[in-house]
Amino acid sequence: MVAPLLWMFSTSIKTKEDVFALPPVWIPETISFSKYTEIWEMGPLLSGISNSLIVAVTVTVIGTFTSSLAAFAFAKLKFPGRNNIFIMLFASVMIPYPVVMIPQFIMFSSIGWVDTLLPLIVPGLFGNIFMIFFLRQYLTSVPNSIIEAAKIDGCSYFQIFYKIIFPLIKPAVAAQLILWFMGIWNDYLGPILYLNSPEKQTLQLVIANFNASYAIQSDYPLIMAASVVALLPMLIVFIIFQKQIIESIAISGVKG
């Protein structure tokens, strides 16, 4: 699993000749980090990183909050049609994206959102159905007696959520957040549909342009250097949340 990552980094510090050497060269005789300097000059890499961060951080932070609220409502609140609404909501994941792709593009185009980051941000602010489903299942292990006791003590539903429920589901939230962040950070189809201007493009589009421009010239070290830079934020997020991710897998039931 680690080998492709090591090969990517190894290729980024090679010469063009070493890339195609047989047998493969893992550690080149001449190590050069010049491609890491060159990528900043060959394309709008900095704006791509900032645009990807704006989209990923905004959607995951706000979307995680709304998803957690929805999961709490579906798991612990009693209201008419709760299960039917959840089933209809979850059934929407069976609709292939190409079915809604064109109508969605027409809608966003009619309100002038094409070539902006809004089509990539706004839909995600209302939550992620997979996160809602995962957190709802996680919350089923939380005894209802805790909710009832908090209500007797005078807590509102929102106080119950952020004082009792959210601390209990933090490991599950962290695990889902990093998966969602990865999906948004690596998304290529959405940005290529809506973004045209180079300064508005996300990092994945910038790297794709590198691939289209420099793969023909066999400049794979440049492409791999850009890919390493694109990978770094994901490694940082994983390092920050690794404890919570492990807890979400290891823990079942209510933490004491």
Side-chain angles (χ1 to χ4, degrees):
M1 189 175 67
V2 177
L5 302 178
L6 295 177
W7 181 256
M8 179 174 65
F9 176 73
S10 172
T11 303
S12 69
I13 59 176
K14 294 177 183 177
T15 62
K16 293 182 182 180
E17 292 74 20
D18 286 337
V19 172
F20 300 100
L22 289 176
V25 176
W26 281 88
I27 302 176
E29 293 183 4
T30 304
I31 297 176
S32 173
F33 291 93
S34 61
K35 295 301 179 181
Y36 287 93
T37 304
E38 195 175 328
I39 55 176
W40 303 100
E41 304 167 356
M42 294 299 181
L45 193 67
L46 186 60
S47 65
I49 293 173
S50 63
N51 290 334
S52 290
L53 282 175
I54 290 171
V55 174
V57 172
T58 304
V59 171
T60 52
V61 171
I62 300 178
T64 296
F65 176 69
T66 54
S67 297
S68 303
L69 285 175
F72 170 57
F74 283 123
K76 295 302 177 184
L77 302 188
K78 297 179 180 179
F79 53 90
R82 179 184 67 174
N83 292 332
N84 291 334
I85 294 173
F86 179 76
I87 291 172
M88 291 175 61
L89 188 64
F90 192 68
S92 65
V93 303
M94 293 186 290
I95 302 174
Y97 182 66
V99 173
V100 299
M101 184 169 59
I102 295 176
Q104 197 176 62
F105 181 86
I106 294 173
M107 179 183 69
F108 288 138
S109 178
S110 64
I111 58 179
W113 283 9
V114 173
D115 204 25
T116 71
L117 298 178
L118 292 175
L120 306 178
I121 294 175
V122 174
L125 300 182
F126 296 95
N128 181 318
I129 182 57
F130 289 106
M131 179 178 284
I132 294 172
F133 173 77
F134 183 83
L135 296 181
R136 177 182 178 270
Q137 298 305 109
Y138 196 89
L139 278 170
T140 56
S141 62
V142 177
N144 291 330
S145 58
I146 296 178
I147 311 296
E148 298 300 326
K151 289 168 65 177
I152 293 173
D153 290 339
C155 289
S156 65
Y157 283 116
F158 189 74
Q159 287 176 322
I160 293 172
F161 171 75
Y162 78 81
K163 288 184 177 180
I164 299 174
I165 298 299
F166 192 77
L168 290 174
I169 64 174
K170 276 198 298 186
V173 168
Q176 289 298 301
L177 186 144
I178 190 172
L179 293 174
W180 196 7
F181 186 93
M182 287 174 58
I184 297 172
W185 184 264
N186 293 324
D187 184 27
Y188 177 75
L189 182 57
I192 202 173
L193 284 175
Y194 296 108
L195 305 178
N196 301 317
S197 304
E199 65 275 7
K200 298 289 181 64
Q201 292 179 344
T202 59
L203 182 59
Q204 302 306 323
L205 291 185
V206 174
I207 293 177
N209 291 336
F210 276 153
N211 195 25
S213 301
Y214 299 107
I216 300 174
Q217 305 172 23
S218 301
D219 199 348
Y220 291 104
L222 184 75
I223 298 171
M224 292 301 178
S227 300
V228 170
V229 172
L231 178 67
L232 289 178
M234 295 309 313
L235 291 177
I236 293 172
V237 170
F238 177 77
I239 291 171
I240 293 173
F241 290 105
Q242 62 177 327
K243 180 181 177 181
Q244 286 80 2
I245 293 170
I246 294 171
E247 283 183 0
S248 71
I249 299 171
I251 294 175
S252 60
V254 182
K255 288 179 66 177

